[in-house]
Amino acid sequence: MEIIGAVILASIIVALAFTGVVASTLAVIAVGCVIVAVLCMFLGAAFVLFFKLALAVLLALFCEWLYARALGFAGERLSITALQDPALVTRVSWILAAVTTGYLCFLR
């Protein structure tokens, strides 16, 4: 009877140890998957942010070009002396482009 009890006790200990090893392995894999998932989440968010910023820069450049042309045209055709100064037109067009880009890319 003692031998059978010892064998049962040893088999329970071995089973618990094996279960612990399997559980530890699965926990390490799960933590690794969680870490990879978190890294992928941050990389995805960084990619989206980078893409959005790059798009915003391109939109700001286009808006600045468009506003500079429109303000220069308005200054010449309507004889507005403030809009005939190229430096002032450039400053105003950059401000308008920044406001437009901020609204279209980040606030809307």
Side-chain angles (χ1 to χ4, degrees):
M1 213 43 164
E2 291 175 358
I3 295 175
I4 294 175
V7 168
I8 291 175
L9 184 62
S11 62
I12 290 174
I13 291 172
V14 168
L16 287 175
F18 180 73
T19 306
V21 168
V22 170
S24 298
T25 304
L26 290 177
V28 167
I29 290 171
V31 169
C33 289
V34 168
I35 290 171
V36 169
V38 169
L39 286 175
C40 288
M41 179 187 66
F42 283 127
L43 287 175
F47 177 75
V48 167
L49 182 65
F50 177 74
F51 184 75
K52 200 170 192 178
L53 287 174
L55 191 63
V57 167
L58 290 175
L59 181 65
L61 289 172
F62 175 73
C63 285
E64 191 277 329
W65 176 81
L66 187 67
Y67 286 137
R69 298 299 177 264
L71 291 174
F73 180 77
E76 290 176 9
R77 293 290 182 191
L78 301 175
S79 298
I80 302 172
T81 56
L83 294 179
Q84 291 176 355
D85 181 20
L88 183 63
V89 168
T90 302
R91 280 188 227 132
V92 171
S93 63
W94 273 114
I95 292 169
L96 290 173
V99 170
T100 304
T101 302
Y103 174 73
L104 290 177
C105 291
F106 299 109
L107 295 178
R108 186 172 59 109

